[in-house]
Amino acid sequence: MTRLVTLKLIRLVPVMFLVSVLTFSLLEVAPGDPALTIMGDNPPCPSLIEQELVAEYGEETDISLLCTQAVYQSVRERFNLDDPIWERYLIWLGNAVTGDLGIRLTNQSFTVLEGIQQTFPVTLQIAIFSMGLALLVSIPMGVWAAFHQGKGFDRLSGGSSFAIISIPSFLIGLLLIFFFVWRPWMLRNVVLIFAMIWVAWLLWSALKRIVSRMVSGSEAGAHATTDFVLAATVALVALGLFFWWPDFPRQGFSRWTSDEGILENFRTAFLPALTVALTEIAVFTRLLRSDIIATLQEDFILSARARGFSNRRIMFRHALRPSSFSLITLAGVAFGRALGGTVIVETIFRLPGMGRFIVDQGVRLNDYTVVMGGVLVLTTAVVLLNTGVDIAYYYLDPRIRRGRR
Amino acid sequence: MRIKKARQAIENFSTNPSVSTTIYPMTLTTSLDAALTSDTSNNISTSDMSSFASSSSSALLKVSDLHTHFATDRGELRAVDGVSFSLDHGSTIGIVGESGSGKSVTVRSIMNILPRNVGLQAGEVIFEGENIQDLTGPEAKHFWGVKMSMIFQDPMTSLNPVVKVGRQITESLRYHLKMSRPEASARALELLELVGIPEARRRLSEYPHQLSGGMCQRITIAIALSCQPKLLIADEPTTALDVTVQKQILDLLDRLQIDQKMAMILITHDLGVVAGRADEIAVMYAGRIVEKAATTDLFASMRHPYTQALFESIPKIEHRSHTRLRAISGQPPDMTNLPTGCSFSPRCRYAQERCLTEKPPLEADPVNTNRSYACFYPVNTPAGEEALSVNIKHGKSAAGLDMSREGLEGVSLSGDGIGGGGLIDDGDGIGGGGLGEMADEDLEGMDG
């Protein structure tokens, strides 16, 4: 086990090296000049340079252009921008290895590490929330759809999944803002109506069960009780939501360490997380559904049925685990994507996340230390995630535990 | 490959100590009779001969007029179309037939594990005097897998690949018998020893992929036996196994059946498997039982042409090498579109006009009421002999089957073009481990 983890972690090194080399070269060929950003539009002419220029050209000459050029040169020298690319890379690498990601070129009062420390937790939290939400919703939905394959719920979830997958995520974000922020009463009523229909259906089926039990003469069973309990829960949740419908902010983010507390943090994180999660819910549900359907065809499911186990037991104890391999893989990939690709969501909801940090502060301004530092952190996170997925495999599927015994 | 398997199966059959090696003479009726009598006599001592009377009131299991139909795209598929049999405590019935003949669906109906697209299910299954369809509540919850259990064809796939062997055994014990964890593991260990697994304690913590096929089948047997069932259903328990292992598993089942006083339904497409082991044999074709008799009676003289054809398609040791097998001509029937008359008539050498229009009912033999068959012109009866000679004279049967292509003595025919349906030329059609792999898709495909 330790060996496995160590091996995976060792694998991290070449991956990160390659990614950093590629990113660095890409930044080099990208248009733009960090020195220009550092200088700003109308750089003041430092008196030292001014004196030198005056001494050289005399009082009469307009030295402003010459001064700008001189400042530009000094900036490039100061940040070693004229050194060959490999030299700059090696210097950066040497510092990065010791944990020093450098200062931000365009905002020299801050280091890159500080920027990452401020923004990464936000991105990480949104990613964790959205993945948790996606798994929490999609696993029951996938199981239910697979179990009632071809029935109403399965077809409904299939259809809506494809609809959701085909909507781009920025549009999902805008739609969510529209309904949750501008038209909350619509959602509130829709939820209430659906819940009431559900409750009515549950009560009706419970009633049918009781009547049929009474007719056939055997004891009234536990099934009706579960229906009643479920119906009561649904009704309570729906009513609670109706009367205390949470009001979500259009934008902004409150850290959970801030004074407003953790509830405020949840409230601000919900819509961005839902935006990321919706697509994943759709994908995960369809994936898990089809994997479970495939597993249910297996002989060991048939033999479990022949052993007299209940459907629920077969589904959760026998079918779910062998069906979860591709879901785990995809969830790992999706998590990585959520970490690195939330820039759109962060922009829509104005979150101080790392995607925006890298794009707005790094790429746009040609600030290579910001981009390099951000990419390094993201790469590490993604590789660690994949290691986590591999370890999860190890536990889920004994067949891959080769070379251990 | 299949031929080899077939030879092995026959050898397997003949190595059974009480059966002489000359069990497959050209005329079946004599020495086989003797061989099988001597064989079954020691087997049957454990069970009651009177069990063959199908109307026995003490029967453990009584299946009457079982129908299982499936709704398919091509129409209604009558996988089981009126099957009746009964089984006494401790006795064995062998159900024999090609793939797609409905034998698996029959037992799956009894085990209540049919796929969901089952269209119609009718008939009665009475177990210990109780109709299993009427079971409710905890009685139903702890019936299948407890009173009757089942083992399947492929042991490698019928165990959950991600669960340790020990937990797969204890799951039944804990779920059905409400044993505590230590009790269950102690019992699991006992069970593994019972089915002859060496180093049982170590095996408990292993996964199925770490075990061989034979070992896995022993474990599925251990699981099936865990709640001490009164009836064990073995659905082709040896088909997926190596031949040497086949015999071990069959012998194990024999021993356990006697030890545990279980009744057994043994499904196979290999007459060699059931010959020495079943008290009674039911031959199925196209969803119906076409012949049912005590094993001794059946092998002494067959009545249904299909049974005869099945038997003749087994390669025999005393045949010269390169002898052509007498596979059953024609194709297995399209189960969604069965002939109006007897389902076997298009392939039958005895078929007459009547067979094409009328379905023969399964009726008891007028002489020996313990056997029954569904044929108007039974083999080894005057009516049958006459039908056959009429067909030979015409050169073809009433259904148009070409009789000239396979003469009665045509065992050593060689050359191409033999066999009406071309199955003879088809390596797969040669019944070895199986008398017919021909229509696998028909039923197997539907189980989804």
Side-chain angles (χ1 to χ4, degrees):
Chain A
M1 189 59 220
T2 352
R3 227 192 74 201
L4 181 89
V5 176
T6 323
L7 277 175
K8 303 277 177 195
L9 290 182
I10 289 173
R11 228 177 46 185
L12 188 72
V13 175
V15 173
M16 298 210 317
F17 176 73
L18 272 178
V19 170
S20 65
V21 167
L22 280 176
T23 318
F24 209 90
S25 344
L26 210 63
L27 285 171
E28 191 63 19
V29 294
D33 190 339
L36 291 178
T37 338
I38 296 167
M39 279 161 61
D41 280 342
N42 283 308
C45 202
S47 50
L48 199 71
I49 297 179
E50 197 177 354
Q51 281 164 19
E52 270 177 33
L53 288 171
V54 169
E56 200 176 333
Y57 295 99
E59 290 280 352
E60 293 78 32
T61 332
D62 180 11
I63 54 164
S64 62
L65 191 68
L66 292 168
C67 185
T68 308
Q69 267 177 358
V71 171
Y72 176 77
Q73 277 309 324
S74 72
V75 166
R76 286 194 75 91
E77 265 163 45
R78 201 173 126 215
F79 292 100
N80 304 322
L81 293 175
D82 290 323
D83 291 351
I85 173 172
W86 55 269
E87 213 177 300
R88 273 185 293 139
Y89 175 71
L90 284 182
I91 290 170
W92 176 85
L93 188 65
N95 290 334
V97 167
T98 59
D100 175 14
L101 294 176
I103 56 161
R104 286 165 61 176
L105 297 183
T106 47
N107 198 347
Q108 288 141 28
S109 42
F110 295 102
T111 64
V112 174
L113 199 62
E114 279 169 342
I116 290 171
Q117 277 167 348
Q118 276 172 13
T119 53
F120 187 63
V122 178
T123 305
L124 187 66
Q125 195 197 352
I126 300 295
I128 291 176
F129 267 36
S130 56
M131 281 304 114
L133 193 65
L135 289 175
L136 214 65
V137 175
S138 64
I139 290 177
M141 275 184 36
V143 168
W144 191 259
F147 191 65
H148 300 279
Q149 183 197 348
K151 300 272 175 58
F153 178 80
D154 183 28
R155 276 187 281 175
L156 186 76
S157 82
S160 37
S161 289
F162 286 118
I164 289 171
I165 292 170
S166 52
I167 304 176
S169 68
F170 68 88
L171 194 55
I172 292 184
L174 295 178
L175 285 173
L176 288 182
I177 289 174
F178 180 77
F179 284 112
F180 277 90
V181 180
W182 309 127
R183 301 280 189 281
W185 54 270
M186 269 180 154
L187 274 182
R188 215 158 85 162
N189 291 333
V190 166
V191 166
L192 189 70
I193 289 166
F194 269 101
M196 289 306 130
I197 293 173
W198 193 4
V199 168
W201 182 75
L202 280 171
L203 291 180
W204 171 246
S205 63
L207 208 68
K208 268 199 304 195
R209 253 191 213 124
I210 291 174
V211 169
S212 77
R213 293 271 165 117
M214 265 160 35
V215 168
S216 72
S218 55
E219 79 283 9
H223 289 290
T225 331
T226 14
D227 276 351
F228 282 129
V229 171
L230 193 60
T233 322
V234 171
L236 277 179
V237 170
L239 285 175
L241 274 177
F242 187 76
F243 288 114
W244 293 284
W245 186 262
D247 158 42
F248 296 104
R250 157 70 186 81
Q251 59 191 37
F253 188 77
S254 162
R255 288 168 200 273
W256 60 277
T257 46
S258 75
D259 296 338
E260 270 104 83
I262 197 132
L263 270 180
E264 180 64 13
N265 169 250
F266 280 13
R267 209 168 65 88
T268 51
F270 177 74
L271 280 187
L274 186 63
T275 308
V276 180
L278 263 184
T279 319
E280 308 300 353
I281 288 174
V283 176
F284 290 179
T285 306
R286 293 325 279 172
L287 186 79
L288 187 64
R289 168 197 173 269
S290 58
D291 277 359
I292 290 181
I293 287 173
T295 307
L296 290 179
Q297 310 286 321
E298 296 274 348
D299 288 351
F300 66 84
I301 297 296
L302 190 68
S303 63
R305 289 179 63 201
R307 290 168 69 188
F309 297 145
S310 65
N311 283 332
R312 191 181 309 170
R313 188 184 187 86
I314 288 172
M315 189 57 91
F316 288 104
R317 299 279 185 100
H318 294 257
L320 191 56
R321 198 168 132 196
S323 313
S324 62
F325 303 139
S326 22
L327 180 68
I328 294 287
T329 317
L330 198 73
V333 173
F335 202 126
R337 209 167 42 205
L339 280 177
T342 48
V343 58
I344 295 171
V345 176
E346 285 169 11
T347 310
I348 294 174
F349 292 97
R350 302 225 150 262
L351 305 180
M354 197 154 88
R356 266 179 75 205
F357 176 63
I358 295 176
V359 173
D360 292 351
Q361 309 293 320
V363 178
R364 289 232 177 100
L365 305 181
N366 283 296
D367 188 338
Y368 75 86
T369 53
V370 168
V371 179
M372 290 302 292
V375 168
L376 189 76
V377 170
L378 284 182
T379 316
T380 317
V382 170
V383 175
L384 285 180
L385 266 174
N386 281 330
T387 311
V389 168
D390 284 349
I391 292 168
Y393 274 155
Y394 183 88
Y395 278 110
L396 285 173
D397 192 352
R399 286 167 294 187
I400 63 162
R401 291 177 211 169
R402 253 181 258 122
R404 187 159 167 247
R405 277 170 226 258
Chain B
M1 183 54 211
R2 281 198 197 288
I3 299 177
K4 204 167 145 203
K5 221 172 170 184
R7 290 238 174 83
Q8 295 279 20
I10 295 302
E11 270 158 30
N12 195 3
F13 181 25
S14 22
T15 45
N16 199 327
S18 50
V19 183
S20 76
T21 42
T22 56
I23 46 166
Y24 289 107
M26 297 304 292
T27 48
L28 305 164
T29 38
T30 47
S31 66
L32 228 197
D33 192 359
L36 282 162
T37 318
S38 70
D39 179 52
T40 35
S41 57
N42 40 18
N43 208 5
I44 280 169
S45 57
T46 58
S47 66
D48 188 1
M49 282 298 287
S50 71
S51 68
F52 302 145
S54 54
S55 58
S56 166
S57 58
S58 68
L60 172 72
L61 175 77
K62 195 162 182 293
V63 177
S64 23
D65 202 25
L66 185 72
H67 283 264
T68 305
H69 301 179
F70 293 99
T72 70
D73 295 339
R74 286 179 298 157
E76 187 184 46
L77 191 154
R78 300 184 166 202
V80 178
D81 193 13
V83 162
S84 308
F85 63 90
S86 74
L87 187 62
D88 261 21
H89 290 273
S91 66
T92 303
I93 186 168
I95 301 183
V96 184
E98 291 168 315
S99 301
S101 59
K103 50 197 195 316
S104 281
V105 179
T106 304
V107 290
R108 284 175 193 193
S109 309
I110 298 171
M111 281 304 288
N112 195 27
I113 50 168
L114 289 169
R116 282 203 212 128
N117 65 338
V118 58
L120 175 129
Q121 218 186 336
E124 273 190 335
V125 179
I126 312 280
F127 186 85
E128 292 190 309
E130 207 172 349
N131 191 334
I132 60 168
Q133 275 105 337
D134 295 342
L135 294 172
T136 47
E139 218 185 347
K141 192 176 167 192
H142 300 302
F143 178 78
W144 289 282
V146 183
K147 298 281 180 62
M148 53 167 85
S149 59
M150 182 161 174
I151 55 177
F152 291 87
Q153 193 176 60
D154 190 349
M156 304 297 273
T157 59
S158 53
L159 290 170
N160 191 330
V162 300
V163 179
K164 282 179 183 164
V165 162
R167 240 194 72 200
Q168 304 204 33
I169 303 176
T170 51
E171 188 178 6
S172 275
L173 298 168
R174 289 174 56 77
Y175 181 78
H176 288 305
L177 304 183
K178 309 288 178 217
M179 280 190 186
S180 69
R181 216 176 276 273
E183 272 178 328
S185 5
R187 174 92 180 108
L189 198 64
E190 269 174 41
L191 282 163
L192 285 196
E193 278 158 4
L194 183 72
V195 296
I197 286 181
E199 294 183 88
R201 190 172 293 277
R202 187 163 69 91
R203 301 293 178 201
L204 283 176
S205 57
E206 290 194 332
Y207 289 94
H209 69 278
Q210 294 168 302
L211 306 173
S212 68
M215 210 65 97
C216 282
Q217 193 62 297
R218 283 172 196 266
I219 283 164
T220 61
I221 293 171
I223 292 173
L225 295 184
S226 57
C227 301
Q228 294 181 308
K230 299 220 166 97
L231 170 65
L232 178 68
I233 297 173
D235 188 356
E236 307 202 22
T238 57
T239 310
L241 299 175
D242 202 80
V243 204
T244 47
V245 183
Q246 285 188 5
K247 182 166 163 15
Q248 292 169 11
I249 294 292
L250 288 170
D251 289 348
L252 172 71
L253 284 175
D254 263 359
R255 176 169 70 76
L256 292 171
Q257 188 188 7
I258 296 165
D259 288 355
Q260 313 276 317
K261 301 180 181 61
M262 293 183 298
M264 187 154 84
I265 298 178
L266 184 58
I267 293 185
T268 176
H269 46 222
D270 189 348
L271 274 170
V273 166
V274 283
R277 295 188 159 85
D279 302 318
E280 192 181 20
I281 291 178
V283 179
M284 283 190 73
Y285 188 80
R288 289 161 172 260
I289 292 180
V290 293
E291 180 159 14
K292 188 171 65 172
T295 310
T296 34
D297 293 346
L298 187 84
F299 282 96
S301 85
M302 291 152 182
R303 286 289 181 271
H304 200 280
Y306 177 64
T307 318
Q308 187 195 33
L310 265 188
F311 193 80
E312 285 178 355
S313 65
I314 304 174
K316 291 155 187 82
I317 286 173
E318 57 289 346
H319 287 173
R320 290 193 288 118
S321 49
H322 304 297
T323 298
R324 284 223 163 247
L325 271 175
R326 300 186 58 193
I328 305 170
S329 39
Q331 299 288 337
D334 174 6
M335 293 293 288
T336 54
N337 187 19
L338 286 176
T340 356
C342 172
S343 303
F344 187 60
S345 60
R347 308 167 75 186
C348 179
R349 297 165 48 77
Y350 295 77
Q352 302 297 306
E353 284 302 330
R354 190 183 174 195
C355 306
L356 304 183
T357 51
E358 232 180 291
K359 260 202 190 344
L362 184 68
E363 277 175 336
D365 188 284
V367 187
N368 177 358
T369 47
N370 280 342
R371 74 183 304 164
S372 44
Y373 43 83
C375 186
F376 296 126
Y377 305 97
V379 183
N380 297 326
T381 62
E385 298 303 333
E386 200 195 321
L388 186 63
S389 62
V390 167
N391 283 349
I392 290 174
K393 208 155 72 192
H394 287 161
K396 58 179 185 185
S397 78
L401 180 75
D402 195 343
M403 302 291 287
S404 62
R405 295 243 172 137
E406 27 173 7
L408 253 188
E409 268 74 51
V411 240
S412 57
L413 280 177
S414 59
D416 291 332
I418 295 167
L423 274 171
I424 278 184
D425 292 325
D426 180 354
D428 274 345
I430 296 169
L435 287 162
E437 298 288 306
M438 310 121 176
D440 275 337
E441 304 337 310
D442 260 14
L443 283 175
E444 257 59 284
M446 303 195 357
D447 290 351

